[in-house]
Amino acid sequence: MDLEPMLLKLDRIAGGRAAGVKVADELVGHPRTRRAFTWITWLLALEVLIGLAAFVVAAVLFFNGTVLAFPVRMRILVVLGMTVTLFYFAWRAQKGYRWAYSRLRLFSKIFPVVTLVMAAIPGLFPFWMVTEQIVFSLILIGIADFLDSDHMRQVFRTPDEQTGHAVS
């Protein structure tokens, strides 16, 4: 079963008009690019484990009679949803899609800021979840660091940057 046609439609929704723009295969296949995506994949897997651990902690607390506030339940769902989305972006970026690299780079910078601001609101989350949010943010900052390397920015530069024309 070939899922690529369906994925291309999903790419069009996520990537807009530039959904089909890919970088050269030799750039995506470069050892430094592959190594960066290997690290990014492992860090995202760690994010999933952290999200699942938060779910398990919340479930144990719930079944032991603790009432979980709405923000705690929503945070768990949002973290797992975000991580799945970031995995999709990383997977498509590994295939050379510039839009996916751009989204992954953007969200790996935005999500830590939002997460840390929410963690700083007194009483919104229990201590264990604040700790989880801080670790989650630090890992995303690490992913952003890989994506912002000179090599990765060079691989995924815009088509106008490749030809030397100014971006309008």
Side-chain angles (χ1 to χ4, degrees), residues 84 99 145:
V84 168
W99 72 266
D145 192 47

Side-chain angles (χ1 to χ4, degrees), residues 100-161:
Y101 165 80
S102 176
R103 299 302 185 279
L104 184 61
R105 187 173 170 215
L106 174 69
F107 291 130
S108 67
K109 291 178 180 181
I110 291 173
F111 288 159
V113 173
V114 171
T115 301
L116 291 173
V117 166
M118 288 176 55
I121 298 172
L124 183 62
F125 297 110
F127 179 75
W128 65 269
M129 185 162 270
V130 170
T131 305
E132 177 261 347
Q133 286 186 251
I134 292 169
V135 172
F136 180 86
S137 296
L138 291 174
I139 293 170
L140 275 178
I141 291 168
I143 291 170
D145 192 47
F146 278 106
L147 295 169
D148 275 340
S149 71
D150 290 341
H151 173 77
M152 293 296 279
R153 284 186 291 118
Q154 184 68 19
V155 167
F156 287 97
R157 65 191 184 274
T158 63
D160 288 335
E161 290 172 335

Side-chain angles (χ1 to χ4, degrees), residues 44-56 73-87 132 136:
L44 286 172
L46 185 57
E47 295 279 44
V48 169
L49 289 176
I50 289 169
L52 291 173
F55 176 80
V56 168
R73 295 187 311 253
M74 284 308 299
R75 168 76 183 139
I76 291 168
L77 290 174
V78 168
V79 165
L80 291 174
M82 283 176 13
T83 309
V84 168
T85 302
L86 293 175
F87 257 119
E132 177 261 347
F136 180 86

Side-chain angles (χ1 to χ4, degrees), residues 33-41 90 93-94 104 147 152 156:
T33 309
R34 288 196 331 262
R35 188 169 39 253
F37 277 121
T38 299
W39 274 102
I40 289 167
T41 301
Q94 283 178 317
L104 184 61
L147 295 169
M152 293 296 279
F156 287 97

